Amino acid sequence: MASLANPRLMLAILAAVFAFLYVPISVLVALSFNDGGLPTAWTGFSTRWYGELLHNRDIMSAAFNTLVVAVVSTVLATILGSLLAIGVEIRRRKGRFLETIIFAPMIIPDIVLAIALLSFFSLLNVTMGLHTVILSHVVFNLAFVCSVVRARLKTFDWSIVEASTDLGASTPVTLVRIVLPVMLPAVIAGALLAFTLSVDEFIIAFFTAGAGRDSITLPMQIFAMIRFGVTPEINALATIVMAVSVIALTLSQRLNRGGLPGQ
Amino acid sequence: MKDRKPLYLMTPALAWLTAFMVIPCLLILALAFFRRGLYGGIEYTFTLENLALVFDPLYAGIFLKSAAIAGLSALIAVIIGYAAAFAIAAAPSRRQPILLFFAVLPFWSNYLVRTYAWIVLLNREGLITGLARWLGYDAEMPRLLYTEGAVVVGLVYNYLPFVILACYAPLSRLNPEIAEASRDLGASSWTTFRRVVLPMTVPGIATGFVFVFVLSIGNFVTPALLGGGQFQMIGNLIYAQFLTANDWPFGAALSMVLIAIMMGLLTLQTFATERASGAKREES
């Protein structure tokens, strides 16, 4: 490519694109530390808006709800998704139908899954709340965990498993002592990804949380606040939420890139 | 482990997906063919009225408008994204991973937050208005937020990192000798790009375009926040049927048509990618 490229033009493109990508977020982060809180005048560095968050009961309860949803759905999705990944990778025949079912939660539009689940829970007369959000989040989370773990297992030598079985180990023992250590980094990477997706997920939670005030998650709270306009508190909250997902996902990528242990 | 064993490993997850994805989605499919009850409930008699209503000029218009906004966003995202991917691919190879990492990083942060960042920039007391005043622009500023333009900017902003990633993949795999050969044979840089590089990277462009289009046409957050409810897109219409208008069968019919459009496009894109890679194989 380099032979076709005008270096100055390339530099200009990169500068423009990165400015487009980073200026909006940077402004937001900078304003969250602006003492006066107004977007038009810088009145000094301050963390007071972060302090205000701690005293906002709605935000704290929403943050707690999000933590509950994210932790429970991540644990469930990690177990189900990892087992699914092993199951699919052990099989020698790959079924197109199976692949579609596993792939679907990742590409199905949020709004469609959200209304489908809303109709489903309503027709079954299930009272909706945090538990229905958890049930719903596990759907896409397990698919993501499964795909991360599968990528790792693709390079796994299954003859080791046969050797373990031949030497008399039962299947659960083989899974825990042979397969698990190899796939553990991918399992943790998948869990971090699932946790982040769940913390950030808005639409499905919005539709499946029911009408109760006590089942509002953080993204739902942010959505409600944003509709009323820009406040320094939202800037601070947005900065925290952004930092959490970026850190968790960078960590997840790191873990996933490392080679197999012992290699 | 025999081939039969994996079943019990897969059963819990597959049962979960069946209960909370397959059945609910089939339910939506079925709902589209039932009549709406008098008080917002569902009357279990078969009808095609809901589907017919989707093609009523009023609602077909909303579909077309959503498609236009999604198409424009996808087009702009592909132009910017391709240029960025090209510039990254042209950078020294040891710098490429870090450039790519920072191009994708914003994509990992919360969608609502990324959209909100544009409210901060575009609102009446926002930074852009402030900047214009500071530069000496005294006249009345046109409204920036709550316009179609704001929605397009928001969609491009949110999905650009994916387009960069999609376009970078074929660009980085491209053999530089092919471009050099074209130059040696007398083609200009522009001709080489247009006749050699561009055709070989079509799969990435198609993937990026379809992705942005599909995610934009059904989007409900961005039109709600940056469009401010000034106009409706298909996602907002579906939302309204379920949460305010209480016409579930019609909402289900809308969703069905939306899914059909998305699946059609995704199939087309897979087809385009497969054809392109097939053509490459024949060449070699």
Side-chain angles (χ1 to χ4, degrees), chain B residues 67-105:
Chain B
I69 288 182
L72 183 63
S73 307
L75 186 69
I76 298 173
V78 161
I79 293 171
I80 303 177
Y82 191 87
F86 191 91
I88 294 177
S93 51
R94 73 200 145 77
R95 284 210 201 117
Q96 290 182 19
I98 191 83
L99 285 172
L100 208 59
F101 174 80
F102 280 107
V104 180
L105 193 65

mmCIF file of all heavy atoms in Angstrom, chain B residues 67-105:
data_model
loop_
_atom_site.group_PDB
_atom_site.id
_atom_site.type_symbol
_atom_site.label_atom_id
_atom_site.label_comp_id
_atom_site.label_asym_id
_atom_site.label_seq_id
_atom_site.Cartn_x
_atom_site.Cartn_y
_atom_site.Cartn_z
ATOM 1 N N ALA B 67 -34.366 3.668 5.779
ATOM 2 C CA ALA B 67 -33.400 3.096 4.837
ATOM 3 C C ALA B 67 -32.511 4.196 4.276
ATOM 4 O O ALA B 67 -31.300 4.001 4.107
ATOM 5 C CB ALA B 67 -34.121 2.365 3.713
ATOM 6 N N ALA B 68 -33.093 5.375 4.013
ATOM 7 C CA ALA B 68 -32.299 6.483 3.466
ATOM 8 C C ALA B 68 -31.255 6.938 4.479
ATOM 9 O O ALA B 68 -30.079 7.126 4.139
ATOM 10 C CB ALA B 68 -33.216 7.642 3.084
ATOM 11 N N ILE B 69 -31.685 7.094 5.737
ATOM 12 C CA ILE B 69 -30.740 7.528 6.778
ATOM 13 C C ILE B 69 -29.670 6.467 7.005
ATOM 14 O O ILE B 69 -28.480 6.776 7.095
ATOM 15 C CB ILE B 69 -31.492 7.843 8.083
ATOM 16 C CG1 ILE B 69 -32.281 9.149 7.885
ATOM 17 C CG2 ILE B 69 -30.534 7.957 9.267
ATOM 18 C CD1 ILE B 69 -33.026 9.620 9.082
ATOM 19 N N ALA B 70 -30.090 5.201 7.037
ATOM 20 C CA ALA B 70 -29.131 4.110 7.234
ATOM 21 C C ALA B 70 -28.164 4.047 6.053
ATOM 22 O O ALA B 70 -26.955 3.854 6.238
ATOM 23 C CB ALA B 70 -29.863 2.780 7.401
ATOM 24 N N GLY B 71 -28.689 4.228 4.835
ATOM 25 C CA GLY B 71 -27.853 4.161 3.641
ATOM 26 C C GLY B 71 -26.841 5.285 3.606
ATOM 27 O O GLY B 71 -25.656 5.071 3.318
ATOM 28 N N LEU B 72 -27.298 6.487 3.943
ATOM 29 C CA LEU B 72 -26.395 7.641 3.956
ATOM 30 C C LEU B 72 -25.302 7.442 5.013
ATOM 31 O O LEU B 72 -24.117 7.674 4.750
ATOM 32 C CB LEU B 72 -27.199 8.916 4.242
ATOM 33 C CG LEU B 72 -26.415 10.227 4.215
ATOM 34 C CD1 LEU B 72 -25.860 10.476 2.825
ATOM 35 C CD2 LEU B 72 -27.300 11.400 4.643
ATOM 36 N N SER B 73 -25.710 6.999 6.212
ATOM 37 C CA SER B 73 -24.729 6.762 7.272
ATOM 38 C C SER B 73 -23.709 5.716 6.839
ATOM 39 O O SER B 73 -22.506 5.879 7.050
ATOM 40 C CB SER B 73 -25.419 6.273 8.552
ATOM 41 O OG SER B 73 -26.444 7.144 8.917
ATOM 42 N N ALA B 74 -24.203 4.632 6.229
ATOM 43 C CA ALA B 74 -23.308 3.555 5.810
ATOM 44 C C ALA B 74 -22.337 4.062 4.745
ATOM 45 O O ALA B 74 -21.144 3.750 4.783
ATOM 46 C CB ALA B 74 -24.113 2.375 5.287
ATOM 47 N N LEU B 75 -22.849 4.878 3.811
ATOM 48 C CA LEU B 75 -22.003 5.403 2.735
ATOM 49 C C LEU B 75 -20.881 6.276 3.302
ATOM 50 O O LEU B 75 -19.698 6.104 2.978
ATOM 51 C CB LEU B 75 -22.860 6.214 1.759
ATOM 52 C CG LEU B 75 -22.142 6.710 0.505
ATOM 53 C CD1 LEU B 75 -21.799 5.526 -0.386
ATOM 54 C CD2 LEU B 75 -23.009 7.705 -0.254
ATOM 55 N N ILE B 76 -21.273 7.218 4.192
ATOM 56 C CA ILE B 76 -20.273 8.114 4.781
ATOM 57 C C ILE B 76 -19.265 7.315 5.612
ATOM 58 O O ILE B 76 -18.052 7.521 5.517
ATOM 59 C CB ILE B 76 -20.948 9.196 5.655
ATOM 60 C CG1 ILE B 76 -21.859 10.062 4.777
ATOM 61 C CG2 ILE B 76 -19.913 10.057 6.361
ATOM 62 C CD1 ILE B 76 -22.694 11.050 5.556
ATOM 63 N N ALA B 77 -19.781 6.364 6.402
ATOM 64 C CA ALA B 77 -18.893 5.561 7.253
ATOM 65 C C ALA B 77 -17.907 4.778 6.398
ATOM 66 O O ALA B 77 -16.732 4.643 6.756
ATOM 67 C CB ALA B 77 -19.708 4.621 8.132
ATOM 68 N N VAL B 78 -18.381 4.260 5.253
ATOM 69 C CA VAL B 78 -17.493 3.469 4.398
ATOM 70 C C VAL B 78 -16.423 4.354 3.764
ATOM 71 O O VAL B 78 -15.250 3.974 3.694
ATOM 72 C CB VAL B 78 -18.305 2.712 3.325
ATOM 73 C CG1 VAL B 78 -17.421 2.283 2.165
ATOM 74 C CG2 VAL B 78 -18.974 1.495 3.942
ATOM 75 N N ILE B 79 -16.802 5.555 3.338
ATOM 76 C CA ILE B 79 -15.812 6.456 2.718
ATOM 77 C C ILE B 79 -14.729 6.837 3.735
ATOM 78 O O ILE B 79 -13.534 6.677 3.479
ATOM 79 C CB ILE B 79 -16.496 7.719 2.152
ATOM 80 C CG1 ILE B 79 -17.389 7.325 0.966
ATOM 81 C CG2 ILE B 79 -15.450 8.743 1.706
ATOM 82 C CD1 ILE B 79 -18.276 8.440 0.456
ATOM 83 N N ILE B 80 -15.169 7.294 4.920
ATOM 84 C CA ILE B 80 -14.191 7.680 5.946
ATOM 85 C C ILE B 80 -13.401 6.460 6.417
ATOM 86 O O ILE B 80 -12.180 6.496 6.551
ATOM 87 C CB ILE B 80 -14.879 8.345 7.165
ATOM 88 C CG1 ILE B 80 -15.685 9.570 6.719
ATOM 89 C CG2 ILE B 80 -13.847 8.753 8.216
ATOM 90 C CD1 ILE B 80 -16.443 10.234 7.851
ATOM 91 N N GLY B 81 -14.127 5.361 6.663
ATOM 92 C CA GLY B 81 -13.507 4.150 7.202
ATOM 93 C C GLY B 81 -12.491 3.558 6.242
ATOM 94 O O GLY B 81 -11.420 3.100 6.646
ATOM 95 N N TYR B 82 -12.823 3.580 4.939
ATOM 96 C CA TYR B 82 -11.894 3.019 3.951
ATOM 97 C C TYR B 82 -10.627 3.865 3.889
ATOM 98 O O TYR B 82 -9.516 3.329 3.864
ATOM 99 C CB TYR B 82 -12.553 2.946 2.577
ATOM 100 C CG TYR B 82 -11.754 2.137 1.585
ATOM 101 C CD1 TYR B 82 -11.926 0.764 1.496
ATOM 102 C CD2 TYR B 82 -10.809 2.736 0.759
ATOM 103 C CE1 TYR B 82 -11.180 0.012 0.613
ATOM 104 C CE2 TYR B 82 -10.057 1.993 -0.131
ATOM 105 C CZ TYR B 82 -10.254 0.629 -0.204
ATOM 106 O OH TYR B 82 -9.505 -0.121 -1.081
ATOM 107 N N ALA B 83 -10.814 5.189 3.880
ATOM 108 C CA ALA B 83 -9.651 6.083 3.836
ATOM 109 C C ALA B 83 -8.760 5.839 5.053
ATOM 110 O O ALA B 83 -7.533 5.734 4.931
ATOM 111 C CB ALA B 83 -10.108 7.543 3.796
ATOM 112 N N ALA B 84 -9.381 5.713 6.219
ATOM 113 C CA ALA B 84 -8.609 5.483 7.447
ATOM 114 C C ALA B 84 -7.887 4.144 7.380
ATOM 115 O O ALA B 84 -6.702 4.049 7.713
ATOM 116 C CB ALA B 84 -9.529 5.536 8.661
ATOM 117 N N ALA B 85 -8.597 3.105 6.930
ATOM 118 C CA ALA B 85 -7.990 1.773 6.846
ATOM 119 C C ALA B 85 -6.823 1.788 5.863
ATOM 120 O O ALA B 85 -5.769 1.183 6.102
ATOM 121 C CB ALA B 85 -9.042 0.753 6.412
ATOM 122 N N PHE B 86 -7.000 2.507 4.756
ATOM 123 C CA PHE B 86 -5.940 2.606 3.753
ATOM 124 C C PHE B 86 -4.704 3.292 4.348
ATOM 125 O O PHE B 86 -3.578 2.822 4.177
ATOM 126 C CB PHE B 86 -6.448 3.392 2.542
ATOM 127 C CG PHE B 86 -5.531 3.334 1.358
ATOM 128 C CD1 PHE B 86 -5.685 2.351 0.397
ATOM 129 C CD2 PHE B 86 -4.492 4.254 1.214
ATOM 130 C CE1 PHE B 86 -4.837 2.279 -0.692
ATOM 131 C CE2 PHE B 86 -3.632 4.188 0.129
ATOM 132 C CZ PHE B 86 -3.801 3.201 -0.829
ATOM 133 N N ALA B 87 -4.958 4.382 5.087
ATOM 134 C CA ALA B 87 -3.841 5.109 5.698
ATOM 135 C C ALA B 87 -3.129 4.245 6.736
ATOM 136 O O ALA B 87 -1.901 4.285 6.853
ATOM 137 C CB ALA B 87 -4.346 6.401 6.339
ATOM 138 N N ILE B 88 -3.902 3.437 7.471
ATOM 139 C CA ILE B 88 -3.277 2.549 8.467
ATOM 140 C C ILE B 88 -2.443 1.478 7.756
ATOM 141 O O ILE B 88 -1.313 1.186 8.135
ATOM 142 C CB ILE B 88 -4.337 1.911 9.382
ATOM 143 C CG1 ILE B 88 -5.013 2.989 10.238
ATOM 144 C CG2 ILE B 88 -3.700 0.842 10.282
ATOM 145 C CD1 ILE B 88 -6.128 2.480 11.120
ATOM 146 N N ALA B 89 -3.014 0.913 6.678
ATOM 147 C CA ALA B 89 -2.309 -0.138 5.945
ATOM 148 C C ALA B 89 -1.043 0.405 5.275
ATOM 149 O O ALA B 89 -0.117 -0.348 4.983
ATOM 150 C CB ALA B 89 -3.233 -0.767 4.909
ATOM 151 N N ALA B 90 -1.024 1.731 4.996
ATOM 152 C CA ALA B 90 0.145 2.334 4.352
ATOM 153 C C ALA B 90 1.218 2.719 5.360
ATOM 154 O O ALA B 90 2.339 3.033 4.975
ATOM 155 C CB ALA B 90 -0.288 3.568 3.550
ATOM 156 N N ALA B 91 0.883 2.705 6.642
ATOM 157 C CA ALA B 91 1.844 3.074 7.683
ATOM 158 C C ALA B 91 2.896 1.965 7.827
ATOM 159 O O ALA B 91 2.666 0.837 7.392
ATOM 160 C CB ALA B 91 1.112 3.294 8.999
ATOM 161 N N PRO B 92 4.054 2.290 8.411
ATOM 162 C CA PRO B 92 5.063 1.244 8.665
ATOM 163 C C PRO B 92 4.434 0.080 9.427
ATOM 164 O O PRO B 92 3.638 0.308 10.344
ATOM 165 C CB PRO B 92 6.094 1.962 9.533
ATOM 166 C CG PRO B 92 5.911 3.413 9.255
ATOM 167 C CD PRO B 92 4.491 3.610 8.883
ATOM 168 N N SER B 93 4.796 -1.154 9.072
ATOM 169 C CA SER B 93 4.046 -2.301 9.584
ATOM 170 C C SER B 93 4.128 -2.442 11.104
ATOM 171 O O SER B 93 3.219 -2.968 11.725
ATOM 172 C CB SER B 93 4.490 -3.586 8.900
ATOM 173 O OG SER B 93 5.885 -3.696 8.965
ATOM 174 N N ARG B 94 5.215 -1.944 11.725
ATOM 175 C CA ARG B 94 5.262 -2.104 13.184
ATOM 176 C C ARG B 94 4.300 -1.140 13.879
ATOM 177 O O ARG B 94 3.927 -1.340 15.022
ATOM 178 C CB ARG B 94 6.694 -1.946 13.685
ATOM 179 C CG ARG B 94 7.230 -0.546 13.669
ATOM 180 C CD ARG B 94 8.732 -0.478 13.709
ATOM 181 N NE ARG B 94 9.191 0.645 12.909
ATOM 182 C CZ ARG B 94 9.146 1.912 13.316
ATOM 183 N NH1 ARG B 94 8.652 2.206 14.498
ATOM 184 N NH2 ARG B 94 9.556 2.877 12.538
ATOM 185 N N ARG B 95 3.885 -0.065 13.182
ATOM 186 C CA ARG B 95 2.954 0.883 13.805
ATOM 187 C C ARG B 95 1.498 0.496 13.584
ATOM 188 O O ARG B 95 0.615 1.016 14.251
ATOM 189 C CB ARG B 95 3.174 2.286 13.228
ATOM 190 C CG ARG B 95 4.400 2.912 13.805
ATOM 191 C CD ARG B 95 4.283 4.412 13.864
ATOM 192 N NE ARG B 95 5.615 4.978 13.935
ATOM 193 C CZ ARG B 95 6.132 5.761 13.007
ATOM 194 N NH1 ARG B 95 5.406 6.111 11.972
ATOM 195 N NH2 ARG B 95 7.355 6.203 13.121
ATOM 196 N N GLN B 96 1.270 -0.388 12.621
ATOM 197 C CA GLN B 96 -0.123 -0.697 12.263
ATOM 198 C C GLN B 96 -0.972 -1.244 13.410
ATOM 199 O O GLN B 96 -2.100 -0.792 13.593
ATOM 200 C CB GLN B 96 -0.152 -1.636 11.059
ATOM 201 C CG GLN B 96 0.293 -0.925 9.794
ATOM 202 C CD GLN B 96 0.244 -1.809 8.567
ATOM 203 O OE1 GLN B 96 -0.422 -2.826 8.558
ATOM 204 N NE2 GLN B 96 0.960 -1.428 7.528
ATOM 205 N N PRO B 97 -0.432 -2.216 14.205
ATOM 206 C CA PRO B 97 -1.282 -2.748 15.286
ATOM 207 C C PRO B 97 -1.747 -1.674 16.260
ATOM 208 O O PRO B 97 -2.916 -1.667 16.653
ATOM 209 C CB PRO B 97 -0.371 -3.759 15.988
ATOM 210 C CG PRO B 97 0.643 -4.137 14.971
ATOM 211 C CD PRO B 97 0.852 -2.923 14.119
ATOM 212 N N ILE B 98 -0.871 -0.760 16.629
ATOM 213 C CA ILE B 98 -1.236 0.251 17.628
ATOM 214 C C ILE B 98 -2.247 1.239 17.040
ATOM 215 O O ILE B 98 -3.206 1.636 17.695
ATOM 216 C CB ILE B 98 0.022 0.956 18.199
ATOM 217 C CG1 ILE B 98 -0.339 1.812 19.417
ATOM 218 C CG2 ILE B 98 0.732 1.820 17.195
ATOM 219 C CD1 ILE B 98 -0.401 1.023 20.680
ATOM 220 N N LEU B 99 -2.067 1.591 15.750
ATOM 221 C CA LEU B 99 -3.031 2.483 15.095
ATOM 222 C C LEU B 99 -4.410 1.827 15.058
ATOM 223 O O LEU B 99 -5.431 2.442 15.350
ATOM 224 C CB LEU B 99 -2.572 2.815 13.676
ATOM 225 C CG LEU B 99 -1.424 3.817 13.545
ATOM 226 C CD1 LEU B 99 -0.951 3.908 12.104
ATOM 227 C CD2 LEU B 99 -1.869 5.193 14.036
ATOM 228 N N LEU B 100 -4.402 0.536 14.718
ATOM 229 C CA LEU B 100 -5.661 -0.198 14.633
ATOM 230 C C LEU B 100 -6.330 -0.283 16.002
ATOM 231 O O LEU B 100 -7.540 -0.109 16.142
ATOM 232 C CB LEU B 100 -5.370 -1.605 14.100
ATOM 233 C CG LEU B 100 -6.498 -2.263 13.336
ATOM 234 C CD1 LEU B 100 -6.896 -1.431 12.135
ATOM 235 C CD2 LEU B 100 -6.091 -3.659 12.904
ATOM 236 N N PHE B 101 -5.514 -0.532 17.022
ATOM 237 C CA PHE B 101 -6.036 -0.618 18.388
ATOM 238 C C PHE B 101 -6.750 0.679 18.774
ATOM 239 O O PHE B 101 -7.880 0.655 19.266
ATOM 240 C CB PHE B 101 -4.882 -0.904 19.363
ATOM 241 C CG PHE B 101 -5.289 -0.873 20.812
ATOM 242 C CD1 PHE B 101 -5.917 -1.964 21.392
ATOM 243 C CD2 PHE B 101 -5.043 0.244 21.591
ATOM 244 C CE1 PHE B 101 -6.298 -1.932 22.717
ATOM 245 C CE2 PHE B 101 -5.426 0.287 22.916
ATOM 246 C CZ PHE B 101 -6.051 -0.803 23.485
ATOM 247 N N PHE B 102 -6.110 1.825 18.482
ATOM 248 C CA PHE B 102 -6.740 3.088 18.869
ATOM 249 C C PHE B 102 -7.915 3.466 17.967
ATOM 250 O O PHE B 102 -8.772 4.248 18.363
ATOM 251 C CB PHE B 102 -5.693 4.210 18.934
ATOM 252 C CG PHE B 102 -4.910 4.172 20.197
ATOM 253 C CD1 PHE B 102 -3.589 3.752 20.219
ATOM 254 C CD2 PHE B 102 -5.512 4.499 21.404
ATOM 255 C CE1 PHE B 102 -2.873 3.679 21.402
ATOM 256 C CE2 PHE B 102 -4.813 4.442 22.588
ATOM 257 C CZ PHE B 102 -3.489 4.030 22.597
ATOM 258 N N ALA B 103 -7.949 2.888 16.770
ATOM 259 C CA ALA B 103 -9.103 3.139 15.909
ATOM 260 C C ALA B 103 -10.325 2.392 16.426
ATOM 261 O O ALA B 103 -11.460 2.837 16.272
ATOM 262 C CB ALA B 103 -8.800 2.720 14.478
ATOM 263 N N VAL B 104 -10.088 1.231 17.053
ATOM 264 C CA VAL B 104 -11.197 0.394 17.506
ATOM 265 C C VAL B 104 -11.595 0.696 18.950
ATOM 266 O O VAL B 104 -12.735 0.466 19.349
ATOM 267 C CB VAL B 104 -10.839 -1.100 17.340
ATOM 268 C CG1 VAL B 104 -11.966 -1.988 17.803
ATOM 269 C CG2 VAL B 104 -10.527 -1.392 15.879
ATOM 270 N N LEU B 105 -10.660 1.251 19.717
ATOM 271 C CA LEU B 105 -10.899 1.479 21.149
ATOM 272 C C LEU B 105 -12.242 2.166 21.470
ATOM 273 O O LEU B 105 -12.964 1.714 22.360
ATOM 274 C CB LEU B 105 -9.728 2.260 21.744
ATOM 275 C CG LEU B 105 -9.673 2.320 23.274
ATOM 276 C CD1 LEU B 105 -9.449 0.937 23.860
ATOM 277 C CD2 LEU B 105 -8.558 3.250 23.736
#
